[in-house]
Amino acid sequence: MEVLRIPFNSTKVRNFFHNLVHDTIKERQQKGIFRPDMLQLLMQAREGQLKAEAGDEQENISGAKLKKLTDFDMTAQAVIFFFAGFDTVSTAMSYCAYALARHPEVQQRLQREVDEAFEKNDGKLTYEAVQEAKYMDMFISEVLRLYTAVPSLDRKCTKDFTIPAHGNVPAYTVRKGENIVLPVLPLHKDPKYWDDPETFDPERFSEENKHKITPFTYMPFGVGPRICIGNRFALLEAKVALAHLLRHFSIQATSKTAPKAEFAANDLSGAMKGGTWVGFAQRAQ
Ligand code: HEM
Protein backbone atom coordinates (compact mmCIF):
# COMPACT_ATOMS: atom_id res chain seq x y z
CA MET A 1 0.00 0.00 0.00
CA GLU A 2 2.91 2.31 0.80
CA VAL A 3 4.47 1.49 -2.60
CA LEU A 4 1.18 2.07 -4.42
CA ARG A 5 0.59 5.21 -2.32
CA ILE A 6 -2.80 3.96 -1.24
CA PRO A 7 -3.43 5.21 2.30
CA PHE A 8 -4.64 2.60 4.81
CA ASN A 9 -7.49 4.91 5.76
CA SER A 10 -8.78 8.28 4.57
CA THR A 11 -7.16 11.57 5.60
CA LYS A 12 -10.39 12.50 7.38
CA VAL A 13 -10.29 9.32 9.50
CA ARG A 14 -6.55 9.71 10.15
CA ASN A 15 -7.01 13.32 11.26
CA PHE A 16 -9.92 12.38 13.48
CA PHE A 17 -7.85 9.82 15.41
CA HIS A 18 -4.76 12.04 15.47
CA ASN A 19 -6.68 15.03 16.85
CA LEU A 20 -8.45 12.85 19.39
CA VAL A 21 -5.18 11.50 20.80
CA HIS A 22 -3.34 14.82 20.49
CA ASP A 23 -6.11 16.80 22.26
CA THR A 24 -6.44 14.18 24.99
CA ILE A 25 -2.69 14.25 25.69
CA LYS A 26 -2.72 18.09 25.78
CA GLU A 27 -5.70 18.22 28.11
CA ARG A 28 -4.22 15.66 30.48
CA GLN A 29 -0.91 17.50 30.57
CA GLN A 30 -2.49 20.93 31.09
CA LYS A 31 -4.93 19.85 33.79
CA GLY A 32 -2.71 17.21 35.43
CA ILE A 33 -5.31 14.50 34.70
CA PHE A 34 -4.18 10.89 35.34
CA ARG A 35 -6.16 7.96 33.96
CA PRO A 36 -5.18 4.30 34.44
CA ASP A 37 -5.13 3.49 30.71
CA MET A 38 -2.85 2.71 27.80
CA LEU A 39 -2.51 6.32 26.65
CA GLN A 40 -1.23 7.30 30.10
CA LEU A 41 1.36 4.49 29.92
CA LEU A 42 2.50 5.73 26.51
CA MET A 43 2.73 9.29 27.86
CA GLN A 44 4.78 8.07 30.83
CA ALA A 45 7.01 6.01 28.53
CA ARG A 46 7.64 9.11 26.41
CA GLU A 47 8.60 11.12 29.47
CA GLY A 48 10.87 8.30 30.69
CA GLN A 49 8.76 7.87 33.82
CA LEU A 50 8.16 4.14 33.42
CA LYS A 51 10.52 1.83 35.24
CA ALA A 52 11.14 -1.68 33.89
CA GLU A 53 9.78 -4.32 36.23
CA ALA A 54 11.88 -7.31 37.29
CA GLY A 55 12.15 -9.69 34.33
CA ASP A 56 11.33 -7.04 31.71
CA GLU A 57 13.69 -6.94 28.75
CA GLN A 58 15.96 -3.92 28.97
CA GLU A 59 17.36 -4.19 25.48
CA ASN A 60 15.70 -3.85 22.13
CA ILE A 61 16.12 -7.38 20.75
CA SER A 62 16.15 -6.33 17.10
CA GLY A 63 19.10 -4.02 17.80
CA ALA A 64 17.15 -1.04 16.44
CA LYS A 65 17.85 2.36 17.98
CA LEU A 66 15.17 3.51 20.43
CA LYS A 67 13.43 6.77 19.51
CA LYS A 68 11.17 9.10 21.38
CA LEU A 69 7.48 8.49 20.74
CA THR A 70 5.73 11.22 18.75
CA ASP A 71 2.01 12.04 19.00
CA PHE A 72 1.67 10.29 15.65
CA ASP A 73 3.30 7.08 17.03
CA MET A 74 0.98 7.20 20.02
CA THR A 75 -2.05 7.67 17.77
CA ALA A 76 -0.93 4.68 15.71
CA GLN A 77 -0.62 2.55 18.87
CA ALA A 78 -4.03 3.62 20.17
CA VAL A 79 -5.71 2.99 16.81
CA ILE A 80 -4.11 -0.42 16.28
CA PHE A 81 -5.21 -1.45 19.77
CA PHE A 82 -8.72 -0.26 18.98
CA PHE A 83 -8.95 -2.26 15.75
CA ALA A 84 -6.93 -5.23 16.97
CA GLY A 85 -9.15 -5.48 20.02
CA PHE A 86 -12.63 -4.80 18.63
CA ASP A 87 -12.79 -5.80 15.01
CA THR A 88 -11.08 -9.18 15.40
CA VAL A 89 -13.41 -10.29 18.19
CA SER A 90 -16.56 -9.06 16.44
CA THR A 91 -15.50 -10.82 13.23
CA ALA A 92 -14.80 -14.04 15.15
CA MET A 93 -18.19 -13.74 16.89
CA SER A 94 -19.95 -13.34 13.54
CA TYR A 95 -18.34 -16.54 12.27
CA CYS A 96 -19.28 -18.28 15.54
CA ALA A 97 -22.92 -17.29 14.90
CA TYR A 98 -22.66 -18.52 11.32
CA ALA A 99 -21.13 -21.88 12.36
CA LEU A 100 -23.86 -22.37 15.00
CA ALA A 101 -26.60 -21.62 12.48
CA ARG A 102 -25.10 -24.11 10.04
CA HIS A 103 -24.40 -26.87 12.61
CA PRO A 104 -27.41 -27.30 14.92
CA GLU A 105 -25.96 -30.47 16.48
CA VAL A 106 -22.87 -28.50 17.57
CA GLN A 107 -25.12 -25.77 18.95
CA GLN A 108 -27.18 -28.24 20.99
CA ARG A 109 -24.06 -29.71 22.57
CA LEU A 110 -22.75 -26.24 23.33
CA GLN A 111 -26.06 -25.21 24.87
CA ARG A 112 -26.01 -28.29 27.14
CA GLU A 113 -22.54 -27.32 28.33
CA VAL A 114 -23.55 -23.66 28.81
CA ASP A 115 -26.73 -24.62 30.73
CA GLU A 116 -24.70 -26.87 33.05
CA ALA A 117 -22.17 -24.09 33.65
CA PHE A 118 -24.96 -21.68 34.71
CA GLU A 119 -26.85 -24.26 36.77
CA LYS A 120 -23.76 -25.36 38.69
CA ASN A 121 -23.31 -21.77 39.87
CA ASP A 122 -26.86 -20.74 40.84
CA GLY A 123 -27.63 -19.20 37.46
CA LYS A 124 -24.38 -17.20 37.29
CA LEU A 125 -21.45 -17.60 34.95
CA THR A 126 -18.13 -17.71 36.77
CA TYR A 127 -14.60 -17.33 35.40
CA GLU A 128 -13.82 -20.92 36.44
CA ALA A 129 -16.92 -22.29 34.69
CA VAL A 130 -15.93 -20.54 31.46
CA GLN A 131 -12.39 -21.95 31.68
CA GLU A 132 -13.75 -25.46 32.32
CA ALA A 133 -16.11 -25.37 29.31
CA LYS A 134 -14.17 -27.76 27.08
CA TYR A 135 -16.56 -27.94 24.16
CA MET A 136 -16.78 -24.14 24.00
CA ASP A 137 -13.01 -24.04 23.65
CA MET A 138 -13.07 -26.73 20.92
CA PHE A 139 -15.83 -24.86 19.08
CA ILE A 140 -14.08 -21.47 19.06
CA SER A 141 -10.75 -23.08 18.13
CA GLU A 142 -12.38 -24.62 15.07
CA VAL A 143 -14.08 -21.32 14.13
CA LEU A 144 -10.67 -19.62 14.30
CA ARG A 145 -9.15 -22.35 12.13
CA LEU A 146 -11.69 -22.32 9.33
CA TYR A 147 -12.58 -18.64 9.40
CA THR A 148 -9.37 -17.08 10.62
CA ALA A 149 -9.72 -13.31 10.32
CA VAL A 150 -5.97 -12.67 9.97
CA PRO A 151 -5.13 -14.79 6.91
CA SER A 152 -1.38 -14.13 6.91
CA LEU A 153 1.42 -12.85 9.14
CA ASP A 154 4.37 -10.78 8.12
CA ARG A 155 7.89 -10.57 9.47
CA LYS A 156 11.13 -8.87 8.50
CA CYS A 157 14.22 -11.09 8.42
CA THR A 158 16.82 -9.77 10.92
CA LYS A 159 19.72 -12.00 9.81
CA ASP A 160 20.44 -14.23 6.81
CA PHE A 161 18.89 -17.65 7.31
CA THR A 162 19.03 -20.72 5.06
CA ILE A 163 16.00 -22.95 5.02
CA PRO A 164 17.47 -26.43 4.46
CA ALA A 165 16.57 -28.49 1.38
CA HIS A 166 13.55 -30.71 1.90
CA GLY A 167 12.59 -33.53 -0.51
CA ASN A 168 12.58 -32.01 -4.02
CA VAL A 169 12.63 -28.44 -2.69
CA PRO A 170 16.14 -26.92 -2.77
CA ALA A 171 17.62 -24.92 0.11
CA TYR A 172 16.68 -21.23 0.13
CA THR A 173 18.37 -18.33 1.87
CA VAL A 174 16.26 -15.53 3.23
CA ARG A 175 18.38 -12.35 3.39
CA LYS A 176 18.48 -9.82 6.20
CA GLY A 177 15.93 -7.06 5.57
CA GLU A 178 13.66 -9.17 3.36
CA ASN A 179 9.96 -9.34 4.19
CA ILE A 180 8.36 -12.72 4.77
CA VAL A 181 4.68 -13.59 4.57
CA LEU A 182 3.43 -16.59 6.53
CA PRO A 183 0.31 -18.02 4.86
CA VAL A 184 -1.83 -18.73 7.94
CA LEU A 185 -5.17 -19.42 6.25
CA PRO A 186 -3.69 -21.77 3.60
CA LEU A 187 -1.95 -23.67 6.43
CA HIS A 188 -5.23 -23.88 8.35
CA LYS A 189 -6.81 -25.51 5.30
CA ASP A 190 -3.95 -27.63 3.98
CA PRO A 191 -5.12 -31.26 3.47
CA LYS A 192 -1.56 -32.34 4.22
CA TYR A 193 -2.15 -31.31 7.84
CA TRP A 194 -5.92 -31.48 8.30
CA ASP A 195 -8.30 -34.30 7.36
CA ASP A 196 -11.15 -32.98 5.27
CA PRO A 197 -10.09 -29.35 5.99
CA GLU A 198 -13.23 -27.65 4.66
CA THR A 199 -15.43 -29.56 7.12
CA PHE A 200 -16.31 -27.76 10.34
CA ASP A 201 -15.37 -30.19 13.09
CA PRO A 202 -14.61 -29.04 16.66
CA GLU A 203 -13.44 -32.60 17.49
CA ARG A 204 -10.07 -31.72 15.96
CA PHE A 205 -9.42 -29.81 19.20
CA SER A 206 -10.63 -32.45 21.69
CA GLU A 207 -8.29 -33.69 24.44
CA GLU A 208 -7.75 -36.91 22.43
CA ASN A 209 -7.09 -35.20 19.11
CA LYS A 210 -5.41 -31.86 19.72
CA HIS A 211 -1.94 -33.34 20.27
CA LYS A 212 -2.11 -34.64 16.65
CA ILE A 213 -2.04 -31.07 15.26
CA THR A 214 1.29 -30.41 13.54
CA PRO A 215 3.09 -27.51 15.26
CA PHE A 216 2.81 -24.15 13.43
CA THR A 217 -0.08 -25.27 11.22
CA TYR A 218 -2.58 -23.54 13.54
CA MET A 219 -1.83 -19.88 14.26
CA PRO A 220 -5.01 -17.76 14.55
CA PHE A 221 -3.26 -15.47 17.04
CA GLY A 222 0.13 -15.50 15.35
CA VAL A 223 3.26 -17.02 16.75
CA GLY A 224 6.46 -16.21 18.67
CA PRO A 225 7.32 -13.09 20.67
CA ARG A 226 4.83 -10.96 18.68
CA ILE A 227 1.89 -13.32 19.17
CA CYS A 228 -1.41 -11.50 19.77
CA ILE A 229 -1.10 -9.76 23.13
CA GLY A 230 -4.86 -9.99 23.64
CA ASN A 231 -5.36 -13.66 22.79
CA ARG A 232 -6.48 -14.88 26.21
CA PHE A 233 -8.68 -11.85 26.73
CA ALA A 234 -10.21 -12.33 23.25
CA LEU A 235 -11.07 -15.97 23.96
CA LEU A 236 -12.56 -15.15 27.35
CA GLU A 237 -14.60 -12.29 25.89
CA ALA A 238 -15.95 -14.43 23.06
CA LYS A 239 -16.76 -17.35 25.38
CA VAL A 240 -18.63 -15.16 27.89
CA ALA A 241 -20.63 -13.45 25.14
CA LEU A 242 -21.50 -16.77 23.48
CA ALA A 243 -22.47 -18.39 26.78
CA HIS A 244 -24.94 -15.58 27.60
CA LEU A 245 -26.29 -15.61 24.06
CA LEU A 246 -26.80 -19.37 23.92
CA ARG A 247 -28.36 -19.44 27.38
CA HIS A 248 -31.26 -17.36 26.05
CA PHE A 249 -31.30 -17.86 22.29
CA SER A 250 -30.78 -20.45 19.59
CA ILE A 251 -29.17 -19.27 16.39
CA GLN A 252 -30.78 -20.44 13.17
CA ALA A 253 -30.07 -20.35 9.46
CA THR A 254 -32.51 -18.20 7.49
CA SER A 255 -33.09 -17.78 3.74
CA LYS A 256 -30.40 -15.04 3.80
CA THR A 257 -27.74 -17.21 5.48
CA ALA A 258 -24.98 -17.98 2.97
CA PRO A 259 -24.70 -21.70 2.11
CA LYS A 260 -20.91 -21.36 2.21
CA ALA A 261 -18.92 -18.70 4.02
CA GLU A 262 -16.60 -16.67 1.81
CA PHE A 263 -14.36 -13.80 2.81
CA ALA A 264 -15.30 -10.37 1.43
CA ALA A 265 -12.52 -9.36 -0.97
CA ASN A 266 -12.83 -5.64 -0.16
CA ASP A 267 -12.80 -5.94 3.62
CA LEU A 268 -9.55 -5.94 5.60
CA SER A 269 -11.23 -7.27 8.74
CA GLY A 270 -11.86 -10.71 7.20
CA ALA A 271 -15.64 -10.26 7.33
CA MET A 272 -17.98 -12.52 5.37
CA LYS A 273 -18.94 -11.65 1.83
CA GLY A 274 -22.48 -10.19 1.83
CA GLY A 275 -22.49 -9.90 5.64
CA THR A 276 -23.36 -12.54 8.23
CA TRP A 277 -27.07 -13.25 8.31
CA VAL A 278 -28.61 -15.52 10.95
CA GLY A 279 -31.88 -15.74 12.89
CA PHE A 280 -32.35 -15.75 16.68
CA ALA A 281 -35.04 -17.79 18.40
CA GLN A 282 -35.70 -17.28 22.10
CA ARG A 283 -35.22 -20.49 24.09
CA ALA A 284 -37.93 -21.74 26.41
CA GLN A 285 -36.72 -21.07 30.00
C1 HEM B 1 -10.34 -13.30 17.99
C2 HEM B 1 -9.68 -12.21 18.29
C3 HEM B 1 -8.28 -11.89 17.86
C4 HEM B 1 -7.51 -12.43 16.84
C5 HEM B 1 -7.90 -13.53 15.85
C6 HEM B 1 -6.24 -11.74 16.86
C7 HEM B 1 -5.18 -12.02 16.01
C8 HEM B 1 -3.97 -11.37 16.06
C9 HEM B 1 -2.85 -11.70 15.21
C10 HEM B 1 -2.83 -12.80 14.16
C11 HEM B 1 -1.85 -10.85 15.53
C12 HEM B 1 -0.44 -10.82 14.88
C13 HEM B 1 0.46 -11.76 15.67
C14 HEM B 1 1.77 -12.07 15.00
O1 HEM B 1 2.24 -11.27 14.18
O2 HEM B 1 2.36 -13.14 15.31
C15 HEM B 1 -2.32 -9.98 16.57
C16 HEM B 1 -1.57 -8.98 17.15
C17 HEM B 1 -2.05 -8.13 18.11
N1 HEM B 1 -3.27 -8.20 18.75
FE1 HEM B 1 -4.71 -9.54 18.38
N2 HEM B 1 -6.26 -10.80 17.87
C18 HEM B 1 -7.47 -10.86 18.51
C19 HEM B 1 -7.88 -10.09 19.58
C20 HEM B 1 -7.16 -9.08 20.17
C21 HEM B 1 -7.57 -8.30 21.32
C22 HEM B 1 -8.89 -8.49 22.08
C23 HEM B 1 -6.59 -7.39 21.56
C24 HEM B 1 -6.49 -6.31 22.61
C25 HEM B 1 -7.21 -6.27 23.70
C26 HEM B 1 -5.56 -7.60 20.57
C27 HEM B 1 -4.41 -6.86 20.48
C28 HEM B 1 -3.36 -7.15 19.63
C29 HEM B 1 -2.14 -6.35 19.56
C30 HEM B 1 -1.83 -5.08 20.35
C31 HEM B 1 -1.32 -6.97 18.62
C32 HEM B 1 0.08 -6.56 18.20
C33 HEM B 1 1.05 -7.31 19.09
C34 HEM B 1 2.52 -7.03 18.76
O3 HEM B 1 2.82 -6.62 17.64
O4 HEM B 1 3.35 -7.25 19.64
N3 HEM B 1 -5.92 -8.65 19.75
N4 HEM B 1 -3.62 -10.32 16.89
Side-chain angles (χ1 to χ4, degrees), residues 66-135:
L66 296 174
K67 67 169 185 126
K68 197 168 171 170
L69 286 172
T70 62
D71 276 11
F72 186 76
D73 296 330
M74 285 159 78
T75 308
Q77 291 300 321
V79 171
I80 201 73
F81 227 84
F82 184 74
F83 284 108
F86 277 92
D87 232 51
T88 46
V89 179
S90 73
T91 304
M93 290 294 296
S94 313
Y95 283 109
C96 283
Y98 176 79
L100 290 170
R102 281 273 157 243
H103 303 279
E105 69 299 344
V106 169
Q107 176 161 207
Q108 277 157 18
R109 188 165 157 196
L110 207 49
Q111 277 173 328
R112 278 199 298 276
E113 188 179 71
V114 165
D115 290 349
E116 271 169 35
F118 275 96
E119 275 146 30
K120 258 200 307 207
N121 298 292
D122 300 326
K124 291 200 187 82
L125 190 67
T126 62
Y127 174 78
E128 289 72 22
V130 175
Q131 297 300 53
E132 281 164 19
K134 294 268 177 283
Y135 195 62

Side-chain angles (χ1 to χ4, degrees), residues 5-20 72 75:
R5 303 203 180 170
I6 301 172
F8 183 70
N9 49 33
S10 73
T11 312
K12 201 172 146 198
V13 171
R14 214 169 332 143
N15 288 345
F16 168 79
F17 281 114
H18 186 261
N19 292 342
L20 187 70
F72 186 76
T75 308

Side-chain angles (χ1 to χ4, degrees), residues 231-247:
N231 75 70
R232 269 177 273 177
F233 175 72
L235 288 175
L236 185 65
E237 194 183 353
K239 286 175 185 180
V240 170
L242 273 179
H244 281 286
L245 201 70
L246 291 174
R247 178 80 170 139

Side-chain angles (χ1 to χ4, degrees), residues 80-81 84-86 88-89 92 144 148-150 153-155 219-231 233-234 237:
I80 201 73
F81 227 84
F86 277 92
T88 46
V89 179
L144 292 176
T148 192
V150 187
L153 299 172
D154 52 0
R155 293 289 188 270
M219 303 179 277
F221 291 108
V223 68
R226 302 305 294 263
I227 193 168
C228 173
I229 199 170
N231 75 70
F233 175 72
E237 194 183 353

Side-chain angles (χ1 to χ4, degrees), residues 10-238:
S10 73
T11 312
K12 201 172 146 198
V13 171
R14 214 169 332 143
N15 288 345
F16 168 79
F17 281 114
H18 186 261
N19 292 342
L20 187 70
V21 171
H22 178 81
D23 295 349
T24 309
I25 294 172
K26 214 163 94 191
E27 196 186 359
R28 285 188 191 184
Q29 280 168 340
Q30 279 171 353
K31 299 188 180 159
I33 298 170
F34 183 93
R35 293 254 160 78
D37 60 17
M38 186 179 139
L39 190 60
Q40 201 77 37
L41 288 172
L42 289 169
M43 287 167 64
Q44 287 176 283
R46 173 153 80 176
E47 300 311 323
Q49 294 167 359
L50 279 189
K51 288 213 173 68
E53 289 179 8
D56 275 1
E57 292 288 344
Q58 298 276 339
E59 278 173 23
N60 184 334
I61 50 167
S62 67
K65 287 209 175 71
L66 296 174
K67 67 169 185 126
K68 197 168 171 170
L69 286 172
T70 62
D71 276 11
F72 186 76
D73 296 330
M74 285 159 78
T75 308
Q77 291 300 321
V79 171
I80 201 73
F81 227 84
F82 184 74
F83 284 108
F86 277 92
D87 232 51
T88 46
V89 179
S90 73
T91 304
M93 290 294 296
S94 313
Y95 283 109
C96 283
Y98 176 79
L100 290 170
R102 281 273 157 243
H103 303 279
E105 69 299 344
V106 169
Q107 176 161 207
Q108 277 157 18
R109 188 165 157 196
L110 207 49
Q111 277 173 328
R112 278 199 298 276
E113 188 179 71
V114 165
D115 290 349
E116 271 169 35
F118 275 96
E119 275 146 30
K120 258 200 307 207
N121 298 292
D122 300 326
K124 291 200 187 82
L125 190 67
T126 62
Y127 174 78
E128 289 72 22
V130 175
Q131 297 300 53
E132 281 164 19
K134 294 268 177 283
Y135 195 62
M136 177 72 90
D137 194 65
M138 290 159 58
F139 167 73
I140 295 186
S141 300
E142 178 65 345
V143 168
L144 292 176
R145 178 190 71 84
L146 200 53
Y147 309 118
T148 192
V150 187
S152 65
L153 299 172
D154 52 0
R155 293 289 188 270
K156 185 170 255 184
C157 182
T158 54
K159 61 177 179 200
D160 289 4
F161 178 79
T162 301
I163 304 168
H166 180 74
N168 296 335
V169 185
Y172 183 81
T173 301
V174 187
R175 302 277 172 211
K176 181 177 173 178
E178 282 177 354
N179 293 324
I180 302 159
V181 174
L182 296 162
V184 176
L185 187 61
L187 279 168
H188 282 191
K189 293 186 171 197
D190 192 332
K192 203 159 110 196
Y193 304 113
W194 305 92
D195 290 337
D196 207 0
E198 290 295 335
T199 299
F200 183 82
D201 182 12
E203 291 305 322
R204 303 177 197 275
F205 295 91
S206 69
E207 286 300 324
E208 308 82 70
N209 293 335
K210 65 180 178 194
H211 69 276
K212 296 180 204 155
I213 298 171
T214 310
F216 306 116
T217 59
Y218 180 69
M219 303 179 277
F221 291 108
V223 68
R226 302 305 294 263
I227 193 168
C228 173
I229 199 170
N231 75 70
R232 269 177 273 177
F233 175 72
L235 288 175
L236 185 65
E237 194 183 353

